[in-house]
Amino acid sequence: MWQNWHQPGSMMGYDGGGWFWGMAFHGLSAILFIAVLAVVLTLLFRWLGAGHQPQVTTPSGGGALDILKTRYARGEIDRDDYLQRKADLS
């Protein structure tokens, strides 16, 4: 059994048949794995990063007072600013 390891062409238990195709598949699968990993990481960074901005929509009717109420409800402006702007619009 141990003598087979030292025979020429045995390649540590492999007889050499199909060795090239096994190595080619290994290389192609590594490239495919890296490509899939790159795509997944790119999509993840886009989703978590600057590419994932909330959509700003105006309410139907779009009056200035409705927009002001929406901004106050979202916390974009404080109470004093809301009351001042509401007085300016009235």
Side-chain angles (χ1 to χ4, degrees), residues 12-53:
M12 298 196 47
Y14 294 102
D15 64 347
W19 181 79
F20 172 77
W21 296 112
M23 291 299 290
F25 176 74
H26 178 72
L28 291 175
S29 64
I31 291 170
L32 180 65
F33 174 76
I34 291 170
V36 169
L37 184 65
V39 168
V40 168
L41 288 177
T42 301
L43 293 175
L44 181 67
F45 286 137
R46 282 188 182 178
W47 185 74
L48 292 175
H52 184 66
Q53 297 293 328

Short mmCIF file of all heavy atoms in Angstrom, two decimals, residues 12-53:
data_model
loop_
_atom_site.label_atom_id
_atom_site.label_comp_id
_atom_site.label_asym_id
_atom_site.label_seq_id
_atom_site.Cartn_x
_atom_site.Cartn_y
_atom_site.Cartn_z
N MET A 12 0.20 10.75 -5.53
CA MET A 12 -0.33 10.61 -4.18
C MET A 12 -1.72 9.99 -4.17
O MET A 12 -2.66 10.52 -3.62
CB MET A 12 -0.33 11.96 -3.47
CG MET A 12 1.08 12.47 -3.34
SD MET A 12 1.36 13.78 -2.18
CE MET A 12 0.53 13.27 -0.73
N GLY A 13 -1.87 8.91 -4.84
CA GLY A 13 -3.13 8.18 -4.82
C GLY A 13 -3.98 8.36 -6.05
O GLY A 13 -4.92 7.63 -6.27
N TYR A 14 -3.67 9.37 -6.87
CA TYR A 14 -4.42 9.57 -8.10
C TYR A 14 -3.69 8.87 -9.23
O TYR A 14 -2.47 8.89 -9.32
CB TYR A 14 -4.55 11.06 -8.43
CG TYR A 14 -5.39 11.81 -7.44
CD1 TYR A 14 -4.79 12.59 -6.46
CD2 TYR A 14 -6.77 11.72 -7.48
CE1 TYR A 14 -5.55 13.28 -5.55
CE2 TYR A 14 -7.54 12.40 -6.56
CZ TYR A 14 -6.93 13.18 -5.60
OH TYR A 14 -7.69 13.85 -4.71
N ASP A 15 -4.43 8.31 -10.14
CA ASP A 15 -3.78 7.61 -11.24
C ASP A 15 -3.52 8.54 -12.42
O ASP A 15 -2.96 8.12 -13.42
CB ASP A 15 -4.62 6.41 -11.67
CG ASP A 15 -5.97 6.81 -12.24
OD1 ASP A 15 -6.37 7.99 -12.08
OD2 ASP A 15 -6.62 5.96 -12.84
N GLY A 16 -3.93 9.79 -12.33
CA GLY A 16 -3.65 10.74 -13.39
C GLY A 16 -4.77 10.84 -14.41
O GLY A 16 -4.81 11.78 -15.19
N GLY A 17 -5.69 9.92 -14.43
CA GLY A 17 -6.79 9.99 -15.37
C GLY A 17 -7.77 11.07 -14.96
O GLY A 17 -8.29 11.08 -13.87
N GLY A 18 -8.03 12.04 -15.83
CA GLY A 18 -8.97 13.10 -15.53
C GLY A 18 -8.42 14.18 -14.62
O GLY A 18 -9.15 15.04 -14.17
N TRP A 19 -7.14 14.17 -14.35
CA TRP A 19 -6.54 15.15 -13.46
C TRP A 19 -6.68 16.55 -14.02
O TRP A 19 -7.00 17.49 -13.30
CB TRP A 19 -5.08 14.79 -13.24
CG TRP A 19 -4.36 15.72 -12.33
CD1 TRP A 19 -4.43 15.71 -10.97
CD2 TRP A 19 -3.48 16.77 -12.67
NE1 TRP A 19 -3.65 16.70 -10.45
CE2 TRP A 19 -3.05 17.37 -11.48
CE3 TRP A 19 -3.00 17.27 -13.88
CZ2 TRP A 19 -2.18 18.45 -11.47
CZ3 TRP A 19 -2.13 18.34 -13.86
CH2 TRP A 19 -1.73 18.92 -12.65
N PHE A 20 -6.46 16.72 -15.32
CA PHE A 20 -6.57 18.05 -15.93
C PHE A 20 -7.98 18.60 -15.80
O PHE A 20 -8.18 19.75 -15.45
CB PHE A 20 -6.17 17.99 -17.42
CG PHE A 20 -6.45 19.28 -18.14
CD1 PHE A 20 -5.61 20.36 -17.97
CD2 PHE A 20 -7.56 19.41 -18.96
CE1 PHE A 20 -5.87 21.56 -18.61
CE2 PHE A 20 -7.82 20.60 -19.61
CZ PHE A 20 -6.97 21.68 -19.43
N TRP A 21 -8.99 17.78 -16.04
CA TRP A 21 -10.37 18.26 -15.98
C TRP A 21 -10.77 18.60 -14.55
O TRP A 21 -11.52 19.56 -14.32
CB TRP A 21 -11.33 17.24 -16.58
CG TRP A 21 -11.06 17.05 -18.04
CD1 TRP A 21 -10.57 15.93 -18.63
CD2 TRP A 21 -11.22 18.01 -19.07
NE1 TRP A 21 -10.41 16.13 -19.98
CE2 TRP A 21 -10.81 17.41 -20.27
CE3 TRP A 21 -11.65 19.33 -19.10
CZ2 TRP A 21 -10.83 18.08 -21.49
CZ3 TRP A 21 -11.68 20.01 -20.32
CH2 TRP A 21 -11.26 19.38 -21.50
N GLY A 22 -10.25 17.87 -13.61
CA GLY A 22 -10.53 18.19 -12.21
C GLY A 22 -9.93 19.53 -11.81
O GLY A 22 -10.56 20.34 -11.14
N MET A 23 -8.71 19.78 -12.24
CA MET A 23 -8.06 21.06 -11.95
C MET A 23 -8.76 22.21 -12.68
O MET A 23 -8.91 23.30 -12.14
CB MET A 23 -6.58 21.01 -12.33
CG MET A 23 -5.75 20.11 -11.44
SD MET A 23 -5.76 20.63 -9.72
CE MET A 23 -4.77 22.11 -9.86
N ALA A 24 -9.18 21.99 -13.92
CA ALA A 24 -9.88 23.03 -14.67
C ALA A 24 -11.20 23.37 -13.99
O ALA A 24 -11.56 24.55 -13.85
CB ALA A 24 -10.12 22.57 -16.11
N PHE A 25 -11.93 22.36 -13.55
CA PHE A 25 -13.19 22.61 -12.85
C PHE A 25 -12.95 23.36 -11.55
O PHE A 25 -13.70 24.27 -11.20
CB PHE A 25 -13.92 21.29 -12.57
CG PHE A 25 -15.18 21.48 -11.78
CD1 PHE A 25 -16.31 22.01 -12.38
CD2 PHE A 25 -15.22 21.15 -10.44
CE1 PHE A 25 -17.47 22.20 -11.65
CE2 PHE A 25 -16.36 21.33 -9.71
CZ PHE A 25 -17.50 21.86 -10.31
N HIS A 26 -11.90 22.99 -10.84
CA HIS A 26 -11.57 23.67 -9.60
C HIS A 26 -11.29 25.15 -9.85
O HIS A 26 -11.76 26.02 -9.11
CB HIS A 26 -10.37 22.99 -8.94
CG HIS A 26 -9.93 23.64 -7.68
ND1 HIS A 26 -10.66 23.57 -6.52
CD2 HIS A 26 -8.85 24.41 -7.40
CE1 HIS A 26 -10.03 24.26 -5.58
NE2 HIS A 26 -8.93 24.77 -6.10
N GLY A 27 -10.54 25.46 -10.87
CA GLY A 27 -10.22 26.86 -11.20
C GLY A 27 -11.46 27.64 -11.61
O GLY A 27 -11.67 28.77 -11.17
N LEU A 28 -12.29 27.03 -12.45
CA LEU A 28 -13.51 27.72 -12.89
C LEU A 28 -14.49 27.92 -11.74
O LEU A 28 -15.15 28.96 -11.65
CB LEU A 28 -14.18 26.95 -14.02
CG LEU A 28 -13.41 26.93 -15.36
CD1 LEU A 28 -14.12 26.03 -16.35
CD2 LEU A 28 -13.29 28.35 -15.90
N SER A 29 -14.59 26.95 -10.85
CA SER A 29 -15.50 27.10 -9.73
C SER A 29 -15.01 28.18 -8.77
O SER A 29 -15.81 28.90 -8.18
CB SER A 29 -15.70 25.78 -8.99
OG SER A 29 -14.48 25.34 -8.43
N ALA A 30 -13.70 28.33 -8.62
CA ALA A 30 -13.16 29.40 -7.78
C ALA A 30 -13.47 30.77 -8.38
O ALA A 30 -13.86 31.70 -7.66
CB ALA A 30 -11.66 29.23 -7.60
N ILE A 31 -13.33 30.90 -9.69
CA ILE A 31 -13.65 32.17 -10.36
C ILE A 31 -15.14 32.48 -10.23
O ILE A 31 -15.53 33.62 -9.94
CB ILE A 31 -13.21 32.12 -11.84
CG1 ILE A 31 -11.69 32.10 -11.93
CG2 ILE A 31 -13.79 33.29 -12.62
CD1 ILE A 31 -11.16 31.82 -13.31
N LEU A 32 -15.98 31.47 -10.39
CA LEU A 32 -17.42 31.66 -10.26
C LEU A 32 -17.77 32.06 -8.84
O LEU A 32 -18.59 32.96 -8.63
CB LEU A 32 -18.15 30.37 -10.65
CG LEU A 32 -19.67 30.42 -10.56
CD1 LEU A 32 -20.22 31.42 -11.56
CD2 LEU A 32 -20.25 29.05 -10.82
N PHE A 33 -17.17 31.45 -7.84
CA PHE A 33 -17.43 31.79 -6.44
C PHE A 33 -17.05 33.24 -6.16
O PHE A 33 -17.80 33.97 -5.52
CB PHE A 33 -16.66 30.85 -5.52
CG PHE A 33 -16.78 31.22 -4.07
CD1 PHE A 33 -17.95 30.95 -3.38
CD2 PHE A 33 -15.73 31.85 -3.42
CE1 PHE A 33 -18.08 31.30 -2.04
CE2 PHE A 33 -15.84 32.21 -2.09
CZ PHE A 33 -17.01 31.93 -1.40
N ILE A 34 -15.90 33.68 -6.65
CA ILE A 34 -15.45 35.06 -6.43
C ILE A 34 -16.39 36.04 -7.12
O ILE A 34 -16.73 37.09 -6.56
CB ILE A 34 -13.99 35.23 -6.89
CG1 ILE A 34 -13.07 34.45 -5.96
CG2 ILE A 34 -13.60 36.70 -6.94
CD1 ILE A 34 -11.64 34.35 -6.45
N ALA A 35 -16.85 35.71 -8.32
CA ALA A 35 -17.77 36.59 -9.04
C ALA A 35 -19.11 36.72 -8.30
O ALA A 35 -19.64 37.83 -8.14
CB ALA A 35 -18.00 36.07 -10.45
N VAL A 36 -19.65 35.61 -7.82
CA VAL A 36 -20.91 35.65 -7.08
C VAL A 36 -20.73 36.43 -5.78
O VAL A 36 -21.60 37.24 -5.41
CB VAL A 36 -21.43 34.22 -6.82
CG1 VAL A 36 -22.57 34.21 -5.82
CG2 VAL A 36 -21.86 33.57 -8.11
N LEU A 37 -19.63 36.22 -5.10
CA LEU A 37 -19.36 36.95 -3.87
C LEU A 37 -19.25 38.45 -4.12
O LEU A 37 -19.79 39.26 -3.36
CB LEU A 37 -18.07 36.42 -3.23
CG LEU A 37 -17.69 37.00 -1.88
CD1 LEU A 37 -18.73 36.64 -0.83
CD2 LEU A 37 -16.32 36.50 -1.46
N ALA A 38 -18.60 38.85 -5.21
CA ALA A 38 -18.49 40.26 -5.54
C ALA A 38 -19.85 40.88 -5.83
O ALA A 38 -20.15 42.00 -5.39
CB ALA A 38 -17.55 40.44 -6.75
N VAL A 39 -20.70 40.17 -6.54
CA VAL A 39 -22.04 40.69 -6.85
C VAL A 39 -22.86 40.84 -5.57
O VAL A 39 -23.51 41.87 -5.35
CB VAL A 39 -22.77 39.77 -7.86
CG1 VAL A 39 -24.23 40.11 -7.97
CG2 VAL A 39 -22.09 39.87 -9.22
N VAL A 40 -22.82 39.85 -4.70
CA VAL A 40 -23.58 39.90 -3.45
C VAL A 40 -23.09 41.05 -2.57
O VAL A 40 -23.89 41.82 -2.03
CB VAL A 40 -23.49 38.55 -2.70
CG1 VAL A 40 -24.01 38.67 -1.27
CG2 VAL A 40 -24.26 37.49 -3.46
N LEU A 41 -21.78 41.21 -2.45
CA LEU A 41 -21.25 42.31 -1.63
C LEU A 41 -21.58 43.67 -2.23
O LEU A 41 -21.91 44.60 -1.49
CB LEU A 41 -19.73 42.15 -1.48
CG LEU A 41 -19.28 41.02 -0.56
CD1 LEU A 41 -17.76 40.91 -0.55
CD2 LEU A 41 -19.81 41.22 0.85
N THR A 42 -21.54 43.79 -3.54
CA THR A 42 -21.89 45.06 -4.19
C THR A 42 -23.34 45.41 -3.92
O THR A 42 -23.66 46.55 -3.57
CB THR A 42 -21.64 44.97 -5.71
OG1 THR A 42 -20.25 44.68 -5.94
CG2 THR A 42 -22.00 46.26 -6.39
N LEU A 43 -24.23 44.45 -4.07
CA LEU A 43 -25.65 44.71 -3.81
C LEU A 43 -25.89 45.04 -2.34
O LEU A 43 -26.70 45.92 -2.03
CB LEU A 43 -26.49 43.51 -4.24
CG LEU A 43 -26.54 43.24 -5.74
CD1 LEU A 43 -27.30 41.95 -6.02
CD2 LEU A 43 -27.16 44.40 -6.48
N LEU A 44 -25.18 44.37 -1.45
CA LEU A 44 -25.34 44.63 -0.02
C LEU A 44 -24.87 46.04 0.32
O LEU A 44 -25.56 46.77 1.05
CB LEU A 44 -24.56 43.60 0.78
CG LEU A 44 -24.65 43.72 2.29
CD1 LEU A 44 -26.07 43.42 2.77
CD2 LEU A 44 -23.67 42.78 2.96
N PHE A 45 -23.72 46.45 -0.20
CA PHE A 45 -23.22 47.79 0.08
C PHE A 45 -24.12 48.86 -0.51
O PHE A 45 -24.32 49.91 0.07
CB PHE A 45 -21.78 47.96 -0.43
CG PHE A 45 -20.78 47.25 0.43
CD1 PHE A 45 -19.76 46.52 -0.15
CD2 PHE A 45 -20.84 47.29 1.80
CE1 PHE A 45 -18.82 45.86 0.62
CE2 PHE A 45 -19.92 46.63 2.60
CZ PHE A 45 -18.90 45.91 2.00
N ARG A 46 -24.67 48.61 -1.69
CA ARG A 46 -25.60 49.58 -2.28
C ARG A 46 -26.87 49.71 -1.45
O ARG A 46 -27.40 50.78 -1.29
CB ARG A 46 -25.95 49.18 -3.71
CG ARG A 46 -24.88 49.51 -4.69
CD ARG A 46 -25.36 49.29 -6.09
NE ARG A 46 -24.32 49.57 -7.04
CZ ARG A 46 -24.44 49.42 -8.33
NH1 ARG A 46 -25.58 48.99 -8.83
NH2 ARG A 46 -23.45 49.70 -9.13
N TRP A 47 -27.35 48.57 -0.95
CA TRP A 47 -28.58 48.60 -0.18
C TRP A 47 -28.37 49.29 1.17
O TRP A 47 -29.21 50.05 1.62
CB TRP A 47 -29.09 47.17 0.04
CG TRP A 47 -30.41 47.14 0.73
CD1 TRP A 47 -31.62 47.44 0.20
CD2 TRP A 47 -30.65 46.77 2.09
NE1 TRP A 47 -32.59 47.29 1.15
CE2 TRP A 47 -32.03 46.88 2.32
CE3 TRP A 47 -29.82 46.36 3.12
CZ2 TRP A 47 -32.59 46.59 3.55
CZ3 TRP A 47 -30.40 46.07 4.34
CH2 TRP A 47 -31.77 46.19 4.54
N LEU A 48 -27.21 49.06 1.80
CA LEU A 48 -26.93 49.65 3.10
C LEU A 48 -26.37 51.07 2.99
O LEU A 48 -26.50 51.85 3.93
CB LEU A 48 -25.93 48.79 3.87
CG LEU A 48 -26.42 47.43 4.33
CD1 LEU A 48 -25.27 46.65 4.96
CD2 LEU A 48 -27.57 47.57 5.30
N GLY A 49 -25.77 51.39 1.88
CA GLY A 49 -25.08 52.66 1.75
C GLY A 49 -25.92 53.75 1.14
O GLY A 49 -27.14 53.82 1.29
N ALA A 50 -25.26 54.63 0.43
CA ALA A 50 -25.90 55.82 -0.13
C ALA A 50 -26.92 55.51 -1.21
O ALA A 50 -27.78 56.32 -1.49
CB ALA A 50 -24.82 56.75 -0.71
N GLY A 51 -26.83 54.34 -1.81
CA GLY A 51 -27.78 53.99 -2.85
C GLY A 51 -29.17 53.68 -2.32
O GLY A 51 -30.12 53.59 -3.07
N HIS A 52 -29.31 53.55 -1.01
CA HIS A 52 -30.61 53.21 -0.41
C HIS A 52 -31.14 54.43 0.32
O HIS A 52 -31.08 54.52 1.53
CB HIS A 52 -30.45 52.02 0.54
CG HIS A 52 -31.74 51.56 1.12
ND1 HIS A 52 -32.73 51.00 0.38
CD2 HIS A 52 -32.21 51.59 2.39
CE1 HIS A 52 -33.75 50.69 1.16
NE2 HIS A 52 -33.44 51.04 2.39
N GLN A 53 -31.64 55.40 -0.42
CA GLN A 53 -32.22 56.60 0.17
C GLN A 53 -33.73 56.45 0.23
O GLN A 53 -34.34 55.94 -0.69
CB GLN A 53 -31.85 57.83 -0.68
CG GLN A 53 -30.36 58.11 -0.73
CD GLN A 53 -29.81 58.51 0.62
OE1 GLN A 53 -30.48 59.13 1.41
NE2 GLN A 53 -28.57 58.10 0.88
#
